Amino acid sequence: MLIRKASDIRSGEITEPELYLRRRDFIRSAALGAGSAAVSAPILTACFADEQAGAETPPRARAVRALGDVRPAPPEYRLDERPTSYEDATTYNNFYELGTDKGDPARNAHKLRTEPWSVVVEGEVGKPGRIALEDLIAAHALEERVYRMRCVEAWSMVIPWVGIPLGDVLRRVEPTSKARFVAFETLLDPEQLPGQRRAILDWPYQEGLRLDEAMHPLSILAVGMYGRTLPGQNGAPLRLVVPWKYGFKGIKSIVRIRLQSRQPDTSWNQSAPREYGFYANVNPEVDHPRWSQARERRIGEWRKRPSLPFNGYADQVAGLYRGMDLRKSF
Amino acid sequence: MNLAGRPARVSVWALGLLPLLALLWDFALDGLGPEPVERITHHTGKWALRMLLLCLAVTPLRRGLGWRTLQPHRRTLGLLAFTYASLHFATYLVFDLDFRFGELAEDVQKRPYITVGFATLALLALLAVTSTRGWMRRLGRRWTKLHRGVYLAAVGAPVHFAWSVKADLAEPLVYASVAGVLLALRLRPLTHRIGRSDANYATLPRSTKTGIGNPSGTKGETTEVW
């Protein structure tokens, strides 16, 4: 296993999508002496790798398809690090509604029906209502964002998301002057999300942001990753991505967005208030009570690397927390 | 076929090392999944726990069902538990801590689930080292007392597991329940009730009590404990 530090990887070496999408297939076929065929596989093949990989590939949502008209990530939102392989990013997931084992969400994702899908926008907004997902997206240009994703469990990935800035969506529904926080809610349906049959958390999953955090240009609502629509296990069809916070803030399969004046309850905070705060900014200095947050393991690597304050986005977001004690507001 | 003899003991070792072989096989074929370190940590940890529980099941099975030929395998199972626990710890030391021994000390002090896990491993190490005939002879009756420490390990290991998970306690609770049943079977009233088929065990010729029991040669009182 070849292990390299990020600093050793030049941007020219970053794997092209058609290769990282099929990494394991590539390794497998290379082992069988058919490597050259895999290398020259066109992008089209890569997009249908699910069907081609055969029985060894875990079942995935059939609904996943290529997204058109995606604006490439502007340089400030394009992390110059090698993206995690598509296979790893879609088979190692925390989405307890689809099972608590990391492999469960990919196995159970087919139960989640993402069409039709709509989102209720309510609370302190000038234009409340139920918006069909297509309409929510159609009003904005889809953008790619290559972000670090740091889980509170001390592992991390680099994911090329496709989405729309959350701030743009919120501005369209016209927050009132009383709106100070945004609350999000996941679909509640134990048929589609069988993990909800067990009371591991107080379902539906809830998350929230301060309004200024939500309006920050780094915060997006993702509808895709790796140039395709989101697979169920990654929070299809609509999820939150806030790259300077721990992954659990990135609520999946969102059906409700509520603007409000008081700080919303959030699921992990309610489950274990000593362990998970409302802010949950990535902070190597503040340990989880049961484990250190100083280092993280990038998926695909064996050794850990140092974690970065605000997950490496301190320049952009540290100002949001000026004057706050981040040990108390963890 | 002699189920207590040397070939049988070698077979138990071989069977017990199959999960390790499976792990190496997966490693060789790039089959450890997206997070190999977590996979290795969980695999070795769970097998340590399973071997420990199998080890603790030997005496109740002998007493309850009269399966005496199992008895010599108790030590093998205990040593297998220690083997997997050591690999579990080594994975953490190498890949999580990168040999930072200062952080190991900090973790052991600060993080209760690691404190419990580390103490359990230390205990298993002590039991493994003193599991030889030589140590049984040297320690005499104290050997029996010392090896009752395995009960503590049977509490420590599931507690360590349960304490390490984020929210879903289902799996650790299964192990904890099995450990609980195996420990409850040792309680005196239960032991007496189910211990009938064992009544003559202490008076059996020494040769049938392979490896364990009455090492100091004292009479009348069984040193048979766990």
Short mmCIF file of all heavy atoms in Angstrom, two decimals, chain A residues 153-186:
data_model
loop_
_atom_site.label_atom_id
_atom_site.label_comp_id
_atom_site.label_asym_id
_atom_site.label_seq_id
_atom_site.Cartn_x
_atom_site.Cartn_y
_atom_site.Cartn_z
N GLU A 153 -15.78 11.26 14.12
CA GLU A 153 -15.11 10.02 14.53
C GLU A 153 -13.63 10.00 14.11
O GLU A 153 -12.99 8.96 14.18
CB GLU A 153 -15.81 8.82 13.89
CG GLU A 153 -17.23 8.63 14.36
CD GLU A 153 -18.03 7.68 13.47
OE1 GLU A 153 -17.48 7.18 12.48
OE2 GLU A 153 -19.20 7.44 13.79
N ALA A 154 -13.12 11.12 13.66
CA ALA A 154 -11.69 11.26 13.34
C ALA A 154 -11.27 10.56 12.05
O ALA A 154 -10.14 10.09 11.94
CB ALA A 154 -10.80 10.84 14.52
N TRP A 155 -12.19 10.49 11.08
CA TRP A 155 -11.75 10.12 9.74
C TRP A 155 -12.20 11.23 8.79
O TRP A 155 -13.05 12.06 9.16
CB TRP A 155 -12.30 8.76 9.28
CG TRP A 155 -13.80 8.57 9.41
CD1 TRP A 155 -14.45 8.04 10.48
CD2 TRP A 155 -14.81 8.93 8.45
NE1 TRP A 155 -15.81 8.04 10.24
CE2 TRP A 155 -16.05 8.56 9.01
CE3 TRP A 155 -14.78 9.50 7.18
CZ2 TRP A 155 -17.26 8.77 8.34
CZ3 TRP A 155 -15.98 9.71 6.52
CH2 TRP A 155 -17.21 9.34 7.10
N SER A 156 -11.64 11.25 7.60
CA SER A 156 -11.97 12.34 6.68
C SER A 156 -11.90 11.88 5.23
O SER A 156 -11.32 10.84 4.93
CB SER A 156 -11.03 13.52 6.90
OG SER A 156 -9.70 13.16 6.59
N MET A 157 -12.53 12.66 4.37
CA MET A 157 -12.53 12.39 2.94
C MET A 157 -12.34 13.73 2.22
O MET A 157 -12.40 14.80 2.83
CB MET A 157 -13.86 11.79 2.49
CG MET A 157 -14.20 10.43 3.08
SD MET A 157 -15.74 9.79 2.37
CE MET A 157 -15.83 8.18 3.18
N VAL A 158 -12.11 13.65 0.92
CA VAL A 158 -12.17 14.84 0.06
C VAL A 158 -13.23 14.52 -0.98
O VAL A 158 -13.13 13.52 -1.68
CB VAL A 158 -10.81 15.11 -0.61
CG1 VAL A 158 -10.94 16.24 -1.62
CG2 VAL A 158 -9.76 15.45 0.43
N ILE A 159 -14.26 15.36 -1.04
CA ILE A 159 -15.41 15.02 -1.89
C ILE A 159 -15.73 16.16 -2.85
O ILE A 159 -15.88 17.31 -2.44
CB ILE A 159 -16.64 14.69 -1.02
CG1 ILE A 159 -16.31 13.49 -0.11
CG2 ILE A 159 -17.86 14.41 -1.89
CD1 ILE A 159 -17.43 13.02 0.74
N PRO A 160 -15.82 15.85 -4.15
CA PRO A 160 -16.30 16.84 -5.11
C PRO A 160 -17.83 16.86 -5.12
O PRO A 160 -18.47 16.01 -5.74
CB PRO A 160 -15.73 16.34 -6.45
CG PRO A 160 -15.40 14.90 -6.27
CD PRO A 160 -15.40 14.58 -4.81
N TRP A 161 -18.39 17.82 -4.38
CA TRP A 161 -19.85 17.94 -4.30
C TRP A 161 -20.38 18.70 -5.50
O TRP A 161 -19.65 19.47 -6.13
CB TRP A 161 -20.27 18.71 -3.04
CG TRP A 161 -19.84 18.11 -1.75
CD1 TRP A 161 -18.84 18.56 -0.93
CD2 TRP A 161 -20.41 16.96 -1.10
NE1 TRP A 161 -18.74 17.75 0.18
CE2 TRP A 161 -19.68 16.77 0.10
CE3 TRP A 161 -21.43 16.07 -1.41
CZ2 TRP A 161 -19.96 15.74 0.99
CZ3 TRP A 161 -21.71 15.04 -0.53
CH2 TRP A 161 -20.98 14.88 0.65
N VAL A 162 -21.66 18.52 -5.76
CA VAL A 162 -22.36 19.38 -6.71
C VAL A 162 -23.57 19.93 -5.97
O VAL A 162 -24.33 19.15 -5.38
CB VAL A 162 -22.83 18.60 -7.96
CG1 VAL A 162 -23.62 19.51 -8.89
CG2 VAL A 162 -21.64 17.99 -8.69
N GLY A 163 -23.73 21.24 -5.99
CA GLY A 163 -24.85 21.79 -5.24
C GLY A 163 -25.09 23.25 -5.52
O GLY A 163 -24.58 23.80 -6.51
N ILE A 164 -25.89 23.85 -4.64
CA ILE A 164 -26.20 25.27 -4.78
C ILE A 164 -25.92 25.95 -3.45
O ILE A 164 -26.09 25.34 -2.39
CB ILE A 164 -27.68 25.48 -5.18
CG1 ILE A 164 -28.60 24.66 -4.26
CG2 ILE A 164 -27.91 25.05 -6.63
CD1 ILE A 164 -30.06 24.73 -4.63
N PRO A 165 -25.45 27.19 -3.49
CA PRO A 165 -25.15 27.87 -2.23
C PRO A 165 -26.42 27.99 -1.38
O PRO A 165 -27.47 28.41 -1.87
CB PRO A 165 -24.65 29.24 -2.66
CG PRO A 165 -24.19 29.06 -4.07
CD PRO A 165 -25.10 28.01 -4.65
N LEU A 166 -26.31 27.58 -0.11
CA LEU A 166 -27.47 27.65 0.79
C LEU A 166 -27.96 29.09 0.93
O LEU A 166 -29.16 29.35 0.98
CB LEU A 166 -27.07 27.06 2.15
CG LEU A 166 -28.09 27.16 3.27
CD1 LEU A 166 -29.40 26.45 2.91
CD2 LEU A 166 -27.51 26.57 4.57
N GLY A 167 -26.99 30.01 0.97
CA GLY A 167 -27.36 31.42 1.14
C GLY A 167 -28.29 31.90 0.03
O GLY A 167 -29.27 32.62 0.29
N ASP A 168 -28.02 31.48 -1.21
CA ASP A 168 -28.88 31.89 -2.33
C ASP A 168 -30.30 31.36 -2.16
O ASP A 168 -31.28 32.06 -2.42
CB ASP A 168 -28.31 31.35 -3.66
CG ASP A 168 -26.99 32.04 -4.03
OD1 ASP A 168 -26.61 33.00 -3.32
OD2 ASP A 168 -26.36 31.60 -5.01
N VAL A 169 -30.40 30.11 -1.70
CA VAL A 169 -31.72 29.52 -1.49
C VAL A 169 -32.47 30.29 -0.40
O VAL A 169 -33.66 30.61 -0.55
CB VAL A 169 -31.58 28.03 -1.08
CG1 VAL A 169 -32.93 27.44 -0.70
CG2 VAL A 169 -30.93 27.23 -2.21
N LEU A 170 -31.77 30.61 0.69
CA LEU A 170 -32.43 31.31 1.79
C LEU A 170 -32.86 32.71 1.39
O LEU A 170 -33.96 33.17 1.73
CB LEU A 170 -31.50 31.36 3.02
CG LEU A 170 -31.18 29.99 3.63
CD1 LEU A 170 -30.20 30.15 4.80
CD2 LEU A 170 -32.45 29.27 4.10
N ARG A 171 -32.01 33.41 0.63
CA ARG A 171 -32.37 34.76 0.21
C ARG A 171 -33.65 34.75 -0.63
O ARG A 171 -34.47 35.65 -0.53
CB ARG A 171 -31.22 35.38 -0.60
CG ARG A 171 -30.26 36.21 0.28
CD ARG A 171 -29.21 36.94 -0.55
NE ARG A 171 -28.20 36.03 -1.06
CZ ARG A 171 -27.09 35.70 -0.38
NH1 ARG A 171 -26.85 36.22 0.82
NH2 ARG A 171 -26.23 34.85 -0.89
N ARG A 172 -33.82 33.69 -1.40
CA ARG A 172 -35.01 33.63 -2.26
C ARG A 172 -36.30 33.52 -1.46
O ARG A 172 -37.36 33.94 -1.90
CB ARG A 172 -34.92 32.42 -3.21
CG ARG A 172 -34.34 32.78 -4.56
CD ARG A 172 -34.39 31.58 -5.48
NE ARG A 172 -35.71 31.26 -5.92
CZ ARG A 172 -36.23 30.02 -5.93
NH1 ARG A 172 -35.51 29.00 -5.49
NH2 ARG A 172 -37.45 29.80 -6.36
N VAL A 173 -36.23 32.93 -0.26
CA VAL A 173 -37.46 32.80 0.52
C VAL A 173 -37.62 33.96 1.50
O VAL A 173 -38.55 34.00 2.30
CB VAL A 173 -37.53 31.45 1.27
CG1 VAL A 173 -37.59 30.30 0.29
CG2 VAL A 173 -36.36 31.28 2.25
N GLU A 174 -36.69 34.92 1.43
CA GLU A 174 -36.79 36.19 2.16
C GLU A 174 -36.94 36.04 3.67
O GLU A 174 -38.05 36.19 4.23
CB GLU A 174 -37.96 37.02 1.59
CG GLU A 174 -37.72 37.38 0.13
CD GLU A 174 -38.95 38.00 -0.54
OE1 GLU A 174 -39.97 38.22 0.16
OE2 GLU A 174 -38.89 38.24 -1.76
N PRO A 175 -35.84 35.77 4.36
CA PRO A 175 -35.86 35.67 5.83
C PRO A 175 -36.35 37.00 6.44
O PRO A 175 -36.02 38.07 5.93
CB PRO A 175 -34.39 35.44 6.21
CG PRO A 175 -33.73 34.93 4.97
CD PRO A 175 -34.49 35.51 3.82
N THR A 176 -37.15 36.90 7.49
CA THR A 176 -37.61 38.12 8.16
C THR A 176 -36.52 38.61 9.11
O THR A 176 -35.51 37.94 9.30
CB THR A 176 -38.88 37.84 8.99
OG1 THR A 176 -38.51 37.04 10.12
CG2 THR A 176 -39.95 37.13 8.17
N SER A 177 -36.75 39.76 9.70
CA SER A 177 -35.73 40.32 10.60
C SER A 177 -35.59 39.50 11.87
O SER A 177 -34.59 39.62 12.58
CB SER A 177 -36.11 41.76 10.95
OG SER A 177 -37.38 41.78 11.58
N LYS A 178 -36.58 38.67 12.16
CA LYS A 178 -36.49 37.83 13.38
C LYS A 178 -35.66 36.57 13.15
O LYS A 178 -35.30 35.88 14.10
CB LYS A 178 -37.90 37.41 13.81
CG LYS A 178 -38.68 38.52 14.46
CD LYS A 178 -39.95 37.94 15.07
CE LYS A 178 -40.99 39.03 15.33
NZ LYS A 178 -42.35 38.48 15.26
N ALA A 179 -35.42 36.22 11.89
CA ALA A 179 -34.72 34.96 11.61
C ALA A 179 -33.27 35.06 12.04
O ALA A 179 -32.52 35.93 11.59
CB ALA A 179 -34.82 34.65 10.12
N ARG A 180 -32.88 34.18 12.97
CA ARG A 180 -31.48 34.15 13.41
C ARG A 180 -30.84 32.78 13.23
O ARG A 180 -29.64 32.64 13.25
CB ARG A 180 -31.39 34.59 14.87
CG ARG A 180 -31.69 36.08 15.07
CD ARG A 180 -31.15 36.58 16.40
NE ARG A 180 -29.78 36.18 16.59
CZ ARG A 180 -29.30 35.59 17.70
NH1 ARG A 180 -30.13 35.31 18.69
NH2 ARG A 180 -28.04 35.26 17.80
N PHE A 181 -31.67 31.76 13.12
CA PHE A 181 -31.16 30.39 12.95
C PHE A 181 -31.93 29.68 11.85
O PHE A 181 -33.06 30.06 11.53
CB PHE A 181 -31.34 29.59 14.26
CG PHE A 181 -30.48 30.08 15.39
CD1 PHE A 181 -30.96 31.03 16.28
CD2 PHE A 181 -29.19 29.60 15.56
CE1 PHE A 181 -30.18 31.49 17.33
CE2 PHE A 181 -28.40 30.04 16.61
CZ PHE A 181 -28.89 31.00 17.50
N VAL A 182 -31.28 28.64 11.30
CA VAL A 182 -31.96 27.80 10.32
C VAL A 182 -31.98 26.38 10.88
O VAL A 182 -30.96 25.86 11.33
CB VAL A 182 -31.20 27.77 8.97
CG1 VAL A 182 -32.06 27.10 7.90
CG2 VAL A 182 -30.82 29.18 8.54
N ALA A 183 -33.17 25.77 10.89
CA ALA A 183 -33.30 24.39 11.36
C ALA A 183 -33.62 23.51 10.15
O ALA A 183 -34.36 23.90 9.26
CB ALA A 183 -34.42 24.29 12.39
N PHE A 184 -33.01 22.32 10.15
CA PHE A 184 -33.24 21.37 9.04
C PHE A 184 -33.77 20.07 9.62
O PHE A 184 -33.44 19.69 10.75
CB PHE A 184 -31.93 21.06 8.31
CG PHE A 184 -31.24 22.26 7.73
CD1 PHE A 184 -30.35 23.00 8.51
CD2 PHE A 184 -31.46 22.64 6.43
CE1 PHE A 184 -29.70 24.10 7.99
CE2 PHE A 184 -30.81 23.74 5.89
CZ PHE A 184 -29.94 24.48 6.67
N GLU A 185 -34.55 19.36 8.82
CA GLU A 185 -35.09 18.09 9.26
C GLU A 185 -35.00 17.06 8.14
O GLU A 185 -35.27 17.36 6.98
CB GLU A 185 -36.57 18.29 9.62
CG GLU A 185 -37.05 17.46 10.78
CD GLU A 185 -38.48 17.87 11.15
OE1 GLU A 185 -38.63 18.83 11.94
OE2 GLU A 185 -39.41 17.26 10.61
N THR A 186 -34.65 15.82 8.53
CA THR A 186 -34.59 14.71 7.57
C THR A 186 -35.97 14.09 7.43
O THR A 186 -36.79 14.16 8.35
CB THR A 186 -33.60 13.64 8.09
OG1 THR A 186 -32.30 14.22 8.13
CG2 THR A 186 -33.56 12.40 7.22
#
